Amino acid sequence: MPMADLAAQWPVIVNLLAGSLAGAWFGAGWATRLRSDILFKVIAALMAGIAVVLLTGHGVASGAALVTGGAQIGLGVVAGFAIGIVAALMGVAGGELLIPTLVILFGADIKLAGSLSLAVSLPTMLVGFARYSRDQAFATLGRNRIFVAVMAAGSIAGSFLGGHLLGLVPEAVLLPGLALILVISAFKVWRHK
């Protein structure tokens, strides 16, 4: 997307950021205070919810905004807050929730929504990162350097490969497959002791 197209959407970005930054701060603080067993249940429920969004939200076509004016601004802040919480709790940028929100609530084109989600995701993750670091939550990373390095290398390789496979794997296979992985993961996390 050209930068001019993104810049023209600054009210949408600011609207979602107004909620997502607060949500990320709240979610990260919440995650550091929750008992592990409750946190695992919350994450499992979020995984199952994202699986539902994957299966239902991607078929939505862009078009007219769901609502306009003050209602849209209010819903944008609320949606942003929820997305910020999910991003902080799960350590993901919330794109699977952001893109359907941008398409449904703001009527954005799917390609524009993908680019706008990046503009909202990065600041949201930075706020979550700052909040986690304030509570010394990253001490675990230092104790598990090898695991973190291997996971980071795998994520980079997987992102590169996924970007190339995206045009080859049909959406009819990709989305249900990812949703299935999320449901299986949710089940395993739910049962984690």
Side-chain angles (χ1 to χ4, degrees):
M1 285 265 115
M3 189 56 86
D5 290 351
L6 293 177
Q9 299 296 319
W10 70 266
V12 173
I13 295 169
V14 170
N15 186 199
L16 287 170
L17 280 175
S20 72
L21 297 179
W25 187 265
F26 175 77
W30 189 34
T32 60
R33 289 182 185 84
L34 279 178
R35 289 190 346 238
S36 292
D37 59 329
I38 294 172
L39 183 59
F40 286 131
K41 301 281 192 253
V42 169
I43 290 173
L46 290 171
M47 287 175 153
I50 290 173
V52 170
V53 169
L54 271 175
L55 293 174
T56 60
H58 280 275
V60 176
S62 59
L66 180 65
V67 292
T68 58
Q72 185 182 56
I73 292 169
L75 284 174
V77 171
V78 170
F81 187 77
I83 289 165
I85 289 173
V86 170
L89 285 173
M90 297 188 67
V92 297
E96 287 306 327
L97 301 175
L98 265 170
I99 292 173
T101 298
L102 288 160
V103 170
I104 296 167
L105 183 59
F106 296 97
D109 171 77
I110 192 72
K111 290 181 183 178
L112 178 62
S115 298
L116 289 173
S117 75
L118 295 174
V120 174
S121 296
L122 182 60
T124 301
M125 292 310 299
L126 289 174
V127 166
F129 182 82
R131 180 64 178 93
Y132 275 115
S133 66
R134 181 175 170 216
D135 286 336
Q136 313 303 319
F138 287 114
T140 302
L141 296 178
R143 292 190 301 270
N144 296 291
R145 282 186 206 106
I146 294 173
F147 174 74
V148 171
V150 169
M151 290 297 290
S155 293
I156 291 167
S159 295
F160 179 79
L161 181 62
H164 282 76
L165 290 175
L166 188 60
L168 301 175
V169 180
E171 189 174 317
V173 173
L174 185 64
L175 293 179
L178 184 54
L180 179 63
I181 290 169
L182 283 168
V183 168
I184 291 168
S185 298
F187 179 74
K188 288 186 174 211
V189 169
W190 186 271
R191 295 184 52 198
H192 185 72
K193 303 239 186 256

